[in-house]
Amino acid sequence: MGAHHPERPARLTAIDDQLIASGVGPHLTRFDAPLATDEQLARVHPPEYVRAIREVAPRSGTIHLDPDTAMNPFTLQAALRAAGAAVLAVDLVLQRKVDSAFCAVRPPGHHACRARPMGFCIFNNVAVAARHALAAHGLERVAIIDFDVHHGNGTEDIFEGDEQVLMASIFQHPFYPYSGTDNPARNMFNVPLAAGSGARELQEAVREEWLPALNEFKPELIVFSAGFDAHAEDEMAMLRFKDDDYRWVTEQVKAVAERHAKGRIVSMLEGGYALSALGRSAMQHIKVLAGLN
Ligand SMILES: [Zn+2]
């Protein structure tokens, strides 16, 4: 995204460092992300949009898609691999080759709307995952759980009114992108939290809003939009989550997956910009997914 931009390569190193330091790394199987195909992207984004992104991708230098979102000569490949990771992760989990999958990808995806890049996001990775599960594997119900501090407006844009997909989220409000509070459709369970909210407010939202909706919906697969920027140490926003809150929320959702979805979970990295907090929180999340707690 450019020098001094918070969405930077060191984010992935920070997660890797924590996996090594905690001893979790050796328990995981690693896969390289393939490039998403036009067919896989077309389930989410109009072909003209994908074509336009390919055409504006620079050969040198940096171009801006919006004030926050830039492309350099490597960005298109990274975005295609982030979406491709979503596809591979769904295949691996649904073919029972792995129990669950965490995709350590950049750029993130949940602000990418059907036909608009936004907020560091180019393709909506979790949407590509959900639609791949529905279209290529014949699933009928996929739930998307978004605990990034920002509302996943792109995911909402793509799925509002889609009966096959339930979206449940928490996010700081009022805050960028200033959406998500008007519950536009019956399949959206978005819970705005005031600045300063922490474990208590998170637990209330999960117990009172998410879990009843999820247990009624009975998802066959759960996809996380796993952003870690609601952490107290993250200066991007003003929620007060701690490392342990990411363990707790993952446990709650995993229990739903075990009840209804044969335990099948795919998790995709979204935000998280305080490097140490990002690494530690992602490690807590991954430990629960891997059954290492
Ligand atoms: Zn975010």
Side-chain angles (χ1 to χ4, degrees), residues 110-111 148-150 227-229 236 270-273:
H110 74 155
H111 296 306
D148 190 277
V149 81
H150 303 95
F228 299 94
D229 41 9
M236 182 76 84
E270 300 282 0
Y273 306 98

Coordinates of all heavy atoms in Angstrom, one line a residue, residues 110-111 148-150 227-229 236 270-273, ligand 1:
H110 N -12.8 -7.4 3.5 CA -14.2 -7.3 3.9 C -14.8 -5.9 3.6 O -16.0 -5.8 3.7 CB -14.5 -7.7 5.4 CG -13.9 -6.7 6.4 ND1 -14.5 -6.6 7.7 CD2 -12.9 -5.8 6.3 CE1 -13.8 -5.7 8.3 NE2 -12.9 -5.2 7.6
H111 N -14.0 -4.9 3.2 CA -14.6 -3.7 2.7 C -14.8 -3.7 1.2 O -15.4 -2.7 0.7 CB -13.7 -2.5 3.0 CG -13.5 -2.2 4.5 ND1 -14.6 -2.1 5.3 CD2 -12.4 -2.1 5.3 CE1 -14.1 -1.9 6.6 NE2 -12.8 -1.9 6.6
D148 N -13.6 -8.0 13.1 CA -12.8 -6.9 12.8 C -13.4 -5.6 13.5 O -14.6 -5.5 13.6 CB -12.6 -6.7 11.3 CG -11.6 -5.7 10.9 OD1 -11.9 -4.4 10.9 OD2 -10.5 -6.1 10.6
V149 N -12.6 -4.6 13.8 CA -13.2 -3.4 14.5 C -14.0 -2.6 13.5 O -14.8 -1.8 14.0 CB -12.0 -2.6 15.2 CG1 -11.3 -1.7 14.1 CG2 -12.6 -1.8 16.3
H150 N -13.7 -2.8 12.2 CA -14.5 -2.0 11.2 C -15.7 -2.9 10.7 O -15.5 -4.1 10.5 CB -13.6 -1.6 10.1 CG -12.4 -0.9 10.5 ND1 -11.2 -1.4 10.7 CD2 -12.3 0.5 10.7 CE1 -10.3 -0.5 11.0 NE2 -10.9 0.7 11.0
G227 N -10.3 -10.0 11.8 CA -9.5 -8.8 12.0 C -9.2 -8.7 13.5 O -10.0 -8.9 14.3
F228 N -8.0 -8.2 13.8 CA -7.5 -8.1 15.2 C -7.3 -6.7 15.6 O -6.6 -6.4 16.5 CB -6.3 -9.0 15.4 CG -6.6 -10.5 15.1 CD1 -6.3 -11.0 13.8 CD2 -7.1 -11.3 16.0 CE1 -6.6 -12.3 13.5 CE2 -7.4 -12.6 15.8 CZ -7.1 -13.2 14.5
D229 N -8.0 -5.8 14.9 CA -7.8 -4.3 15.2 C -8.7 -3.8 16.3 O -8.7 -2.6 16.6 CB -7.9 -3.5 13.9 CG -9.0 -3.9 13.0 OD1 -9.8 -4.8 13.4 OD2 -9.0 -3.4 11.8
M236 N -5.5 1.9 15.7 CA -6.4 2.2 14.5 C -7.8 2.6 15.0 O -8.5 3.4 14.4 CB -6.5 1.0 13.6 CG -7.3 1.2 12.4 SD -6.4 2.2 11.1 CE -5.4 1.0 10.3
E270 N -8.2 -10.3 8.3 CA -8.6 -9.0 7.8 C -7.6 -7.9 8.4 O -6.5 -7.9 8.0 CB -10.0 -8.7 8.2 CG -11.1 -9.7 7.6 CD -11.4 -9.5 6.2 OE1 -10.9 -8.5 5.5 OE2 -12.2 -10.3 5.6
G271 N -8.1 -7.1 9.3 CA -7.2 -6.1 9.9 C -6.4 -6.5 11.1 O -6.4 -7.7 11.4
G272 N -5.8 -5.5 11.8 CA -4.9 -5.8 12.9 C -3.5 -5.2 12.6 O -2.8 -5.7 11.7
Y273 N -3.2 -4.1 13.3 CA -2.1 -3.2 12.8 C -1.1 -3.0 13.9 O 0.0 -2.5 13.6 CB -2.7 -1.9 12.3 CG -3.7 -2.2 11.2 CD1 -5.1 -2.2 11.4 CD2 -3.3 -2.6 9.9 CE1 -6.0 -2.5 10.5 CE2 -4.2 -2.9 8.9 CZ -5.5 -2.9 9.2 OH -6.4 -3.2 8.3
Ligands
ZN1 ZN -10.4 -3.3 10.4

